[in-house]
Amino acid sequence: MRRFRPRRWLVWTLVPVLVLLISLWGTWQVSDSRTFQFYGGLTDRVDTADKVVALTFDDGPTEGTPEVLKALAEAQVKATFFVTGRELAAHPEHGKAIVRAGHELGNHTYSHQRMVLVGGDFVRSEVERTDALIRAAGHTGEIHFRPPNGKKLLSLPRYLAQHQRQTIMWDVEPESDGTDAADPAAITRAVLEKTRPGSIVLLHVMYPVRQPSLAAVPGLVAGLKERGYRFVTVSELLALRR
Ligand SMILES: [Zn+2]
């Protein structure tokens, strides 16, 4: 019987290709991770026994802001809005209205690009320009940061760590966890099911296409309040841990 001997050239070709593929896959996984990054702090929820939850909205502000603020006022809760500099520059009045209503503004970069394989200067510009607009909208206190699509790899976390800032992620994402994102009742159910003390809920409510998410807000707020939850901003949530 002949023993199997892989041809040498085949090994020399296949092994590096496999190593490369596995590294790429690993890098992609890390860049996507909700709970891990190479540098600095990352928060996807806060470990607490208190029944608190932070409601967070990504993107905007857009023309849809008044409707969102109305829903939150009716539900009597405060939320955190991770806005982009580009949209804030286009709608400064909506940014100011968010702050005036007592909600928190967070930084979601200037141009909403994937912050992977980007240089330090690009990161600085994306973060700092947006910070300046958030300050101009009237936000005082710490400015929290959330990367677009939750993507980060090296330069972004390194920059944030150098500036004593961390990455704010989330642990409840009803729009992308297999829930029917077109059905407000399904979104509400998913949030009620998955929220734990210290959770951070992510929703997108700024664009017409996300109408079901906005429609889910009254139900999920009522349901969580019924279960004894209190709504806090990201700053208030982080303060509980310290
Ligand atoms: Zn976004």
Side-chain angles (χ1 to χ4, degrees), residues 43-48 170-171 196-200 237 241:
T43 296
D44 68 323
R45 64 177 292 271
V46 162
D47 210 7
T48 172
W170 56 87
D171 68 327
R196 316 183 262 164
S199 275
I200 300 177
L237 186 69
R241 182 176 48 193

Side-chain angles (χ1 to χ4, degrees), residues 95-116:
K96 285 183 182 139
I98 292 171
V99 174
R100 251 199 327 269
H103 304 291
E104 184 161 275
L105 283 183
N107 186 325
H108 196 42
T109 72
Y110 191 88
S111 54
H112 205 273
Q113 292 183 47
R114 281 170 193 273
M115 301 297 272
V116 176

Side-chain angles (χ1 to χ4, degrees), residues 49-79:
D50 276 359
K51 279 193 151 181
V52 290
V53 55
L55 192 53
T56 66
F57 301 125
D58 280 11
D59 309 337
T62 63
E63 302 290 346
T65 306
E67 205 189 333
V68 176
L69 291 180
K70 187 165 162 265
L72 293 175
E74 281 166 8
Q76 297 188 313
V77 291
K78 299 290 181 241

Side-chain angles (χ1 to χ4, degrees), residues 69-223:
L69 291 180
K70 187 165 162 265
L72 293 175
E74 281 166 8
Q76 297 188 313
V77 291
K78 299 290 181 241
T80 303
F81 292 76
F82 287 96
V83 294
T84 65
R86 189 182 52 198
E87 288 170 300
L88 195 50
H91 302 286
E93 70 288 4
H94 294 323
K96 285 183 182 139
I98 292 171
V99 174
R100 251 199 327 269
H103 304 291
E104 184 161 275
L105 283 183
N107 186 325
H108 196 42
T109 72
Y110 191 88
S111 54
H112 205 273
Q113 292 183 47
R114 281 170 193 273
M115 301 297 272
V116 176
L117 308 181
V118 290
D121 287 345
F122 180 75
V123 170
R124 176 182 302 111
S125 156
E126 287 283 312
V127 173
E128 301 302 329
R129 282 154 82 204
T130 308
D131 272 358
L133 289 159
I134 287 174
R135 289 281 177 235
H139 175 87
T140 53
E142 213 175 322
I143 302 177
H144 301 294
F145 181 89
R146 174 178 285 165
N149 308 102
K151 299 288 276 183
K152 65 253 158 282
L153 194 58
L154 296 172
S155 328
L156 175 66
R158 191 166 48 216
Y159 182 79
L160 293 175
Q162 280 164 354
H163 293 83
Q164 289 78 47
R165 295 169 76 166
Q166 53 166 313
T167 305
I168 305 295
M169 301 292 277
W170 56 87
D171 68 327
V172 181
E173 47 179 328
E175 296 158 336
S176 44
D177 66 355
T179 303
D180 179 2
D183 178 7
I187 294 175
T188 295
R189 264 197 315 276
V191 171
L192 296 184
E193 198 176 294
K194 284 163 189 165
T195 298
R196 316 183 262 164
S199 275
I200 300 177
V201 179
L202 164 64
L203 286 173
H204 296 77
V205 291
M206 282 289 176
Y207 298 104
V209 65
R210 293 295 197 177
Q211 195 59 37
S213 295
L214 182 57
V217 167
L220 69 88
V221 169

